Amino acid sequence: MLAESAPDTPARGIGNGFDLIGDVHGCGDLLETLLEKMGYQRRDGVYTHDARRAIFLGDLIDRGSHIQKALEIVRTMVDAGTALVVMGNHEAHALKHCLGHGGRGFTMPRAGGRSERVMFETLQQFERLPTLWSSYLEWFLEMPLCLEFEHFRVAHACWDEALLRPFLAEHPDGRIDRRFLAAASIQGSPEHRVLDRTTRGTQLRLPRGEVIHSMDGSRRSVFRTHFWARSPQTYGDVVFQPDPLPDEFEDHPLSDAERDRLVHYERSQRPLFVGHYWCEGIPSLPTANVACLDYSAVRGGRLVAYRFDGEAALEAGRFCWVSAVE
Ligand SMILES: [Mn+2]
């Protein structure tokens, strides 16, 4: 357990332990089951634990059928101080869609790409509750992009020290505002780089216009990459996503320019918790100081938590999960 005086110790006597919870994506029922499994009890309408707090890794919304329920559970916990939350790329997308570009507010998107379809389905769940949706948008804007404690860090997809250190110097609470959001809609702006890198991580583009045929039926020309390989040599050393690369690209050498675009989170840094990457199977640790907690709950996988008590080396035995399909 952490020392009483450690800055990680939450205020209000709630306790020392943190339960980090991966992408909920509207799986409100599954979230209740997970919280109850970990000993959280509903008191006055708020899930509370006598000795621990929850930290949600973002992507509460989109895709699942119980988005309102998921949002209500998490917001009541955050308001009561029994949980913290960081912004995911899906909250960032909702903010850009509904508040960015002059604030179009509650508008149904025109038929568009994958993310527009997903957003449309979320807005349909709030079709009769535009005021409630607006209040959640305001709440999304309050979510910090990252959290940093003495013994650990939290971000939805990636901790890029070179981008986050100056950002945190200007935004000590990790939060953005409407001005930042508007600036982040401009590709390549400093604000775009911070928001995009932290909530979506790094990606590389396949050469020669090659595409990956994704499980969800779409075709992608880019692939998601991780940030814990010490000296990656090939695409296969850094790919981190459910869809495998076409065989011929596993051993494709990384160019210097590609390697420069990647991020490296040093093994000596404090533990980092992320979601985002649609992992599958039994939760495991890719490295001793990084845990990904997104195990595709909304695609029939697992909703996963890590029960952290200040350990410097993460332990696979501390994962806790509920399966979407028993
Ligand atoms: Mn996600």
Side-chain angles (χ1 to χ4, degrees):
M1 300 292 278
L2 301 170
E4 284 276 314
S5 59
D8 296 8
T9 306
R12 286 175 263 185
I14 289 172
N16 294 329
F18 288 92
D19 297 315
L20 296 114
I21 299 175
D23 303 30
V24 177
H25 278 308
C27 296
D29 292 350
L30 213 52
L31 176 57
E32 280 190 321
T33 309
L34 178 64
L35 288 169
E36 284 163 14
K37 184 173 181 177
M38 292 195 293
Y40 288 74
Q41 293 179 322
R42 200 164 195 145
R43 291 190 203 133
D44 298 328
V46 183
Y47 277 98
T48 304
H49 195 291
D50 288 336
R52 307 183 68 79
R53 280 204 295 182
I55 300 182
F56 291 90
L57 300 185
D59 279 9
L60 305 175
I61 61 165
D62 289 345
R63 296 205 168 97
S65 49
H66 299 104
I67 295 170
Q68 275 184 52
K69 181 174 186 173
L71 286 173
E72 190 191 339
I73 290 170
V74 179
R75 185 161 68 173
T76 54
M77 291 178 76
V78 171
D79 287 350
T82 70
L84 300 167
V85 62
V86 294
M87 188 188 295
N89 58 307
H90 283 256
E91 284 82 34
H93 180 258
L95 284 171
K96 283 182 181 172
H97 176 78
C98 299
L99 292 184
H101 293 303
R104 283 172 291 171
F106 187 75
T107 56
M108 289 295 179
R110 283 167 288 164
R114 185 174 56 247
S115 60
E116 279 68 32
R117 277 202 310 279
V118 167
M119 184 82 248
F120 180 77
E121 287 163 11
T122 295
L123 293 177
Q124 280 184 317
Q125 292 187 32
F126 286 88
E127 198 163 21
R128 292 167 194 278
L129 299 160
T131 308
L132 181 62
W133 175 247
S134 294
S135 79
Y136 279 123
L137 286 171
E138 295 299 327
W139 183 57
F140 297 163
L141 198 55
E142 292 174 16
M143 292 176 174
L145 296 189
C146 59
L147 292 168
E148 183 170 48
F149 298 87
E150 184 184 0
H151 296 288
F152 67 108
R153 294 174 173 145
V154 180
H156 180 65
C158 180
W159 188 282
D160 185 340
E161 181 75 10
L163 290 178
L164 283 179
R165 196 51 54 201
F167 169 75
L168 286 169
E170 278 189 37
H171 306 258
D173 59 6
R175 290 178 179 173
I176 64 170
D177 55 20
R178 279 180 158 75
R179 185 211 61 79
F180 190 105
L181 185 67
S185 67
I186 300 161
Q187 192 88 14
S189 67
E191 292 84 355
H192 178 268
R193 292 186 60 186
V194 170
L195 183 60
D196 191 72
R197 177 61 48 86
T198 309
T199 62
R200 296 176 71 229
T202 51
Q203 304 182 346
L204 290 177
R205 184 169 296 278
L206 288 172
R208 303 189 297 272
E210 295 279 349
V211 294
I212 298 167
H213 295 272
S214 181
M215 289 189 315
D216 63 12
S218 58
R219 287 147 51 100
R220 293 167 202 261
S221 55
V222 296
F223 62 95
R224 290 179 174 183
T225 51
H226 66 72
F227 46 85
W228 47 82
R230 266 189 199 152
S231 53
Q233 303 299 318
T234 66
Y235 286 179
D237 289 342
V238 293
V239 63
F240 195 57
Q241 60 177 29
D243 298 313
L245 291 176
D247 278 347
E248 64 270 31
F249 289 114
E250 272 288 320
D251 296 324
H252 187 91
L254 286 162
S255 69
D256 289 344
E258 287 171 329
R259 211 176 278 114
D260 285 348
R261 286 206 290 278
L262 300 175
V263 174
H264 184 217
Y265 194 78
E266 300 273 351
R267 199 66 65 92
S268 60
Q269 303 221 58
R270 69 196 88 177
L272 170 67
F273 296 94
V274 298
H276 189 63
Y277 294 95
W278 297 113
C279 294
E280 292 173 337
I282 302 292
S284 61
L285 294 163
T287 184
N289 65 337
V290 179
C292 174
L293 302 180
D294 178 19
Y295 278 79
S296 308
V298 74
R299 284 185 187 160
R302 294 167 171 83
L303 184 61
V304 174
Y306 182 97
R307 313 205 76 182
F308 183 70
D309 286 300
E311 60 277 8
L314 300 177
E315 300 160 10
R318 291 177 174 272
F319 286 115
C320 177
W321 66 81
V322 291
S323 295
V325 183
E326 288 295 342

